[in-house]
Amino acid sequence: MNAYIFPGQGAQFSGMGLDLYEKSPEAQRLFDSANKILGFSITDIMFEGTPEDLKKTQVTQPAVFLHSVILSKVLGENFKPDMVAGHSLGEFSALVANGVLSFEEGLKLVHKRALAMQKACELKPSTMAAVLGLEDEVVEAICADVEGIVVAANYNCPGQLVISGEVDAVEKACEELKDKGARRAMVLPVGGAFHSPLMEPARKELADAIEKSTFNKPTCPIYQNVSTFAVTDPSEIKKNLVFQLTAPVKWTQSVQNMIKDGAKTFTEVGPGKVLQGLVKKIDRSAEVKSGEI
């Protein structure tokens, strides 16, 4: 079975999407439509902007979403997923790719999500840190013991976990994780605590927009970050999406469940190859490739 996976924030690069725009009239139409929907020329930033320009959350999220979704559309007959999943933001790309959300509805929600998360980041100093070389249970126990808000946020692959929370609590947790034998516990250059309770204001704001959006029956199951199992019921998909901002991204568990359900090939659709690397670390026998036109 073929699984298609969609990357999240951090996969962006200068010049992203330009090849699609130049090769495909359909891609041109969708990019031009996106500029109108967003009210600014995101294509200028994607095609010609600096890495610094692309790093702003309100730009990064729609940019990665557009690259992934437009690539899936341009692939046409070659895009035949039996199942889909997306890492954090990538879940929105996956939901457009499997027909749950329209292109326009998906882009509007991603734009809303980016602005809401940016706003939440500004309310309180917060950050994230990458932890390598420790078991999940050890990381979870240390986060629970540290004073303040710090939680496991991204279960990327065995031995690679990202924690998220208040700056002081994350820094304290990093010290304790190193004492416990972490190969690395390093604060990341991000402006906020994504997938933690500190995203609650953003979750509330996005929940309202998600509730008002039309969710269709998917063409194939999605393995969502919150539940990790195959989901096809639109109301359940909606509910999981609402909680995604404050809940951890259970990528390891999602990929394991996809493999258990028959996935043999994982095709990454969008910028970069980060997810292919994570899939190989989760299961060496899985075949991975990039979606290319």
Side-chain angles (χ1 to χ4, degrees):
M1 289 176 86
N2 296 311
Y4 282 74
I5 50 178
F6 298 81
Q9 198 163 338
Q12 70 278 0
F13 63 89
S14 298
M16 62 188 288
L18 181 58
D19 59 334
L20 292 174
Y21 192 88
E22 289 174 342
K23 285 179 187 172
S24 162
E26 171 69 351
Q28 279 181 31
R29 186 186 69 76
L30 290 167
F31 274 123
D32 292 341
S33 168
N35 287 338
K36 289 194 186 98
I37 292 165
L38 294 171
F40 68 95
S41 183
I42 193 162
T43 50
D44 284 352
I45 306 171
M46 289 173 71
F47 302 164
E48 297 161 24
T50 64
E52 209 53 45
D53 296 330
L54 275 166
K55 230 194 310 188
K56 296 166 185 155
T57 295
Q58 63 267 39
V59 172
T60 311
Q61 294 197 17
V64 173
F65 168 86
L66 286 170
H67 191 289
S68 294
V69 167
I70 292 174
L71 176 55
S72 75
K73 302 268 188 203
V74 172
L75 285 169
E77 285 299 303
N78 293 324
F79 183 76
K80 291 178 180 168
D82 296 306
M83 54 181 81
V84 294
H87 192 288
S88 189
L89 157 75
E91 196 161 281
F92 288 82
S93 311
L95 288 171
V96 174
N98 79 345
V100 171
L101 288 167
S102 68
F103 174 78
E104 186 173 340
E105 198 103 69
L107 181 55
K108 283 179 178 173
L109 282 177
V110 164
H111 186 46
K112 181 96 177 165
R113 179 185 193 263
L115 295 175
M117 286 170 80
Q118 189 64 49
K119 222 188 293 178
C121 290
E122 287 158 11
L123 292 175
K124 192 166 207 175
S126 56
T127 192
M128 302 176 84
V131 182
L132 303 182
L134 280 181
E135 290 181 355
D136 294 347
E137 297 75 19
V138 176
V139 179
E140 290 162 353
I142 285 172
C143 286
D145 283 348
V146 168
E147 197 176 324
I149 296 171
V150 57
V151 295
N154 293 357
Y155 294 80
N156 285 333
C157 65
Q160 188 190 126
L161 216 158
V162 175
I163 60 173
S164 181
E166 293 164 338
V167 172
D168 290 349
V170 169
E171 287 174 350
K172 177 71 177 144
C174 283
E175 287 169 28
E176 295 196 15
L177 288 161
K178 282 177 193 163
D179 289 344
K180 276 284 182 188
R183 200 163 71 244
R184 209 181 205 176
M186 181 182 69
V187 175
L188 298 168
V190 296
F194 305 148
H195 301 288
S196 83
L198 295 172
M199 283 291 120
E200 182 58 23
R203 187 195 69 78
K204 281 183 181 161
E205 209 174 310
L206 191 62
D208 190 43
I210 287 172
E211 285 307 327
K212 288 175 182 163
S213 300
T214 302
F215 278 53
N216 306 305
K217 193 151 180 62
T219 54
C220 68
I222 179 163
Y223 290 68
Q224 290 181 278
N225 296 173
V226 171
S227 70
T228 81
F229 296 104
V231 186
T232 54
D233 176 47
S235 60
E236 197 180 335
I237 291 171
K238 204 178 254 200
K239 186 182 72 184
N240 288 336
L241 204 58
V242 168
F243 286 107
Q244 196 220 54
L245 275 186
T246 50
V249 174
K250 295 180 179 174
W251 187 250
T252 303
Q253 298 88 328
S254 299
V255 171
Q256 286 169 340
N257 285 330
M258 292 168 99
I259 290 167
K260 209 182 288 175
D261 291 347
K264 292 280 185 283
T265 304
F266 287 79
T267 304
E268 186 165 5
V269 184
K273 296 183 175 182
V274 170
L275 297 185
Q276 293 171 64
L278 294 181
V279 169
K280 285 304 265 184
K281 284 175 181 165
I282 293 165
D283 189 324
R284 276 195 201 157
S285 67
E287 186 192 334
V288 298
K289 59 183 182 177
S290 296
E292 290 169 350
I293 55 168

